[in-house]
Amino acid sequence: PVEVVPGCLWWPGWFDRPAQEALVVALRQILTEAPLFVPRMPRTGKPFSVRMSNCGSLGWVSDETGYRYQPFHPESGRPWPAMPATLTALWAQLAPDAPPPEACLINWYDPAARMGLHQDRDEEEFGAPVVSVSLGDTGVFRIGGTARTAATRSIRLASGDVLMLSGPSRLAFHGIDRIVADSSLLKQGGRINLTLRRVRPA
Ligand code: MD5
Ligand code: FE
């Protein structure tokens, strides 16, 4: 892998095209059971440009009352669908010493969507890594340090790429500046990012 910043490892092209297509098939089934929702910012209620869903025992949600992990879909109230075996196997391969992932956040980027610079700190467990899988259009990913003002580096996350954040990068500021429409994986365009997370201590 490529070490982007200390603790942030990048495997370009981890999943080949057939594996990417199989993941999209599995995700489309998940999204029929747990449809994409529009998260909203705490307090202001301003909508995110990214739509989201989850699979696994817990899912990340955001609304006017705050950010949190919960075991059910915010609109249907139904439990999240199970995580595909391909993803639990990826986690086991990259993080053999960590307890299994509880949440897989599914971020769906339409061509104009972006995600501002932020830290992921709603988990109770920061010792485990976060593992991310990118599918579809390329995302321009920016990552810095644990202070918002630290210098940042930018990489282009393409379809099939895997990124693992651990150690010093686990609480780094990061975001997606923009999407580049360059992939034929999703017929209508767009980008999917999956993040596997351990939420609670084992
Ligand atoms: C994405 N997702 O591509 C981005 C980046 C998110 C999120 O940031 O919170 O859903 S995926 C890479 C990533 C995920 C979690 C933490 C860190 C990077 N990090 O600490 O650098 O949709
Ligand atoms: Fe994040």
Side-chain angles (χ1 to χ4, degrees):
V2 179
E3 189 162 42
V4 180
V5 296
C8 173
L9 300 182
W10 178 30
W11 288 266
W14 177 285
F15 289 109
D16 64 14
R17 176 80 183 211
Q20 295 170 36
E21 288 169 353
L23 268 171
V24 170
V25 168
L27 288 167
R28 292 210 187 272
Q29 178 60 39
I30 285 167
L31 294 177
T32 66
E33 296 166 29
L36 292 167
F37 61 91
V38 177
R40 294 183 173 271
M41 291 295 293
R43 296 187 309 281
T44 64
K46 180 176 152 48
F48 284 55
S49 59
V50 178
R51 290 177 294 158
M52 298 183 177
S53 187
N54 292 271
C55 54
S57 57
L58 290 172
W60 188 86
V61 302
S62 180
D63 60 22
E64 286 82 345
T65 68
Y67 306 132
R68 62 193 175 276
Y69 283 92
Q70 66 182 37
F72 50 87
H73 190 282
E75 291 168 358
S76 72
R78 295 175 62 197
W80 302 109
M83 231 181 267
T86 304
L87 298 179
T88 52
L90 172 67
W91 177 280
Q93 185 172 350
L94 293 184
D97 299 328
E102 295 167 294
C104 173
L105 175 61
I106 302 164
N107 290 153
W108 192 292
Y109 293 78
D110 290 325
R114 53 182 293 283
M115 187 177 288
L117 211 62
H118 67 277
Q119 291 173 296
D120 288 23
R121 39 187 319 161
D122 300 317
E123 300 78 22
E124 297 163 30
E125 169 59 90
F126 297 130
V130 171
V131 173
S132 137
V133 178
S134 291
L135 295 168
D137 290 337
T138 288
V140 180
F141 174 71
R142 177 184 299 277
I143 182 165
T146 52
R148 185 178 281 281
T149 53
T152 61
R153 284 204 52 183
S154 221
I155 60 171
R156 287 175 172 236
L157 293 176
S159 196
D161 290 5
V162 167
L163 198 64
M164 181 165 72
L165 298 305
S166 55
S169 72
R170 175 64 184 77
L171 288 168
F173 278 88
H174 61 279
I176 295 289
D177 290 339
R178 63 191 168 87
I179 302 309
V180 182
D182 61 356
S183 166
S184 59
L185 186 69
L186 304 173
K187 296 312 150 211
Q188 320 264 31
R191 171 174 186 263
I192 302 170
N193 181 264
L194 310 172
T195 44
L196 309 181
R197 301 145 187 266
R198 181 74 198 185
V199 177
R200 301 182 173 150

